Amino acid sequence: MFEGRPDRDAEVVLVGRSNVGKSTLMRELTGHAVETGGKPGVTRQPNHYDWVAEDFVLTDLPGFGFMSGVDEAVREQIKTDVVRYVEDHADELLVAVLVVDGKSVIDIIDRHSGPDSIPYDVELFHFLRELDVPTVVAVNKMDKVDDRDERLDDLCDRFGLPTPWQQWQDTVAPITAKQGRIEPLTDAVRTHLHDQKRDDLFKFF
């Protein structure tokens, strides 16, 4: 079970598979060096970045899915812990940011789709929404995607959102965290913060 969460009433979380760029995005948002690595699964415990005076914490949750050199039992435990964390703190979560890799997400979702299985990214998206946590899908690494609009339409389709993707700009945010191009995400997060009368937190996004 994850431990050490600061006692804060307001939180934004980053969730997603390993190696999609969550920690890079965290660094971009905070200006604070977060351990990142080329190998999946560097983050095993939540990274909390909190502002004591603001009663606010930004959390990068560990990635799920394939991790080099990590056995399946540990991977499943991390998945369970991520779900439990989100469930336990749903009342404090102002926004959840589900980070996906724009280049590979469609293939991954399709590979894990079947009559008896729901891909974890899709499942987590709907789980967050069922908990009434405003959720933004940050589609990262878009600099590597050629057919941008088509790819984002396909993603909406997989998540059960009617296309075209442009009507979901509070929910689907194409970004390239490594190059600091994250404005669609910060705009979407601010929209959700504003809806919850938390414009005071705009300075973090």
Side-chain angles (χ1 to χ4, degrees):
M1 189 60 190
F2 300 146
E3 293 165 3
R5 179 188 183 274
D7 183 18
R8 303 283 170 262
D9 290 331
E11 181 171 12
V12 171
V13 291
L14 308 182
V15 295
R17 288 183 178 278
S18 302
N19 229 24
V20 294
K22 292 189 310 301
S23 299
T24 304
L25 177 58
M26 181 83 160
R27 189 173 57 210
E28 199 56 45
L29 287 168
T30 62
H32 184 72
V34 177
E35 185 184 6
T36 61
K39 275 200 323 200
V42 169
T43 310
R44 301 279 179 87
Q45 282 286 326
N47 277 320
H48 300 289
Y49 194 78
D50 74 310
W51 289 265
V52 179
E54 304 291 342
D55 195 26
F56 169 65
V57 62
L58 179 65
T59 301
D60 171 22
L61 289 174
F64 50 81
F66 173 76
M67 297 172 215
S68 170
V70 179
D71 73 42
E72 195 170 348
V74 174
R75 294 203 303 260
E76 287 303 313
Q77 186 59 51
I78 287 174
K79 252 190 211 178
T80 302
D81 288 347
V82 166
V83 167
R84 194 174 297 149
Y85 184 96
V86 166
E87 214 164 18
D88 288 350
H89 300 294
D91 289 346
E92 290 95 39
L93 296 183
L94 299 174
V95 187
V97 178
L98 172 58
V99 187
V100 300
D101 181 333
K103 196 161 188 279
S104 61
V105 64
I106 303 296
D107 292 341
I108 289 170
I109 287 175
D110 289 352
R111 201 180 316 142
H112 292 92
S113 293
D116 303 318
S117 61
I118 301 171
Y120 197 63
D121 303 82
V122 175
E123 192 176 12
L124 192 55
F125 175 73
H126 290 291
F127 176 65
L128 287 161
R129 285 167 65 118
E130 278 164 26
L131 292 171
D132 286 329
V133 177
T135 304
V136 181
V137 181
V139 191
N140 195 20
K141 308 186 186 182
M142 286 303 287
D143 57 316
K144 297 177 179 168
V145 173
D146 299 326
D147 50 347
R148 176 189 167 95
D149 287 342
E150 190 181 328
R151 182 69 53 95
L152 294 169
D153 280 350
D154 285 348
L155 185 68
C156 282
D157 183 57
R158 303 306 191 273
F159 279 101
L161 303 171
T163 57
W165 77 270
Q166 285 90 342
Q167 65 183 314
W168 297 104
Q169 294 193 28
D170 297 342
T171 307
V172 176
I175 63 168
T176 302
K178 205 170 237 180
Q179 296 175 5
R181 287 162 37 202
I182 62 169
E183 200 173 314
L185 172 63
T186 53
D187 286 350
V189 169
R190 284 177 171 210
T191 298
H192 295 300
L193 292 176
H194 178 71
D195 289 347
Q196 296 168 83
K197 301 183 169 52
R198 292 307 305 262
D199 292 18
D200 58 302
L201 298 177
F202 278 16
K203 56 182 174 278
F204 301 121
F205 294 97

